[in-house]
Amino acid sequence: MSSIPAAPAALRLFRYVAIAEACSWAGLLAGMYFKYIAATGDLGVKIFGPVHGALFVLYVLGALAAARAARWSTGTIALGLACAVPPFTSLWFERRMSARLSTAAPATAA
């Protein structure tokens, strides 16, 4: 039976924060639509703006913690931090790093 070792806590936390950050982007973009396009109010922006701001900061901290745990190169760290800015790229980056981790993990045969 082969087993893949569990990801370190920093990498698991990074994954959760990356997903939450992308979801907060969706909420903020929807709120911006209703505020600026539909002109029906700014409640969505008032709610999702601070939520997204907090998750953005957590994403940056999580990326730095994951980088330390996984020993990412400086270029990978820069890419991860840059992926915090465009909507939904945090998901792409997290998937890329998860795939890298799973292919780097040696499979053991029983």
Side-chain angles (χ1 to χ4, degrees), residues 2-3 8 11 16 18 27 31 38-39 47 52 55 62 65 76 85 87 91 96-98 101 105 109:
S2 67
S3 65
L11 297 173
Y16 300 141
I47 292 171
H52 178 68
L55 288 170
T76 301
V85 179
L91 290 177
R96 179 179 168 156
M97 293 300 100
S98 290
L101 181 65

Side-chain angles (χ1 to χ4, degrees), residues 4 15 48 73 92 100 107 109:
I4 297 174
R15 175 182 206 148
F48 284 104
S73 69
W92 170 81
R100 182 186 289 182

Side-chain angles (χ1 to χ4, degrees), residues 24-46 48:
S24 73
W25 253 123
L28 183 57
L29 291 173
M32 289 169 47
Y33 169 81
F34 286 110
K35 180 177 181 178
Y36 297 110
I37 308 282
T40 58
D42 63 348
L43 182 62
V45 174
K46 285 183 179 180
F48 284 104

Side-chain angles (χ1 to χ4, degrees), residues 10-11 14 59-60 62-81 93-94 96-98 100-101:
L11 297 173
F14 175 65
Y59 175 86
V60 169
L64 294 174
R68 185 173 183 182
R71 298 183 178 178
W72 294 345
S73 69
T74 303
T76 301
I77 295 168
L79 178 62
L81 295 176
F93 182 75
E94 185 280 321
R96 179 179 168 156
M97 293 300 100
S98 290
R100 182 186 289 182
L101 181 65

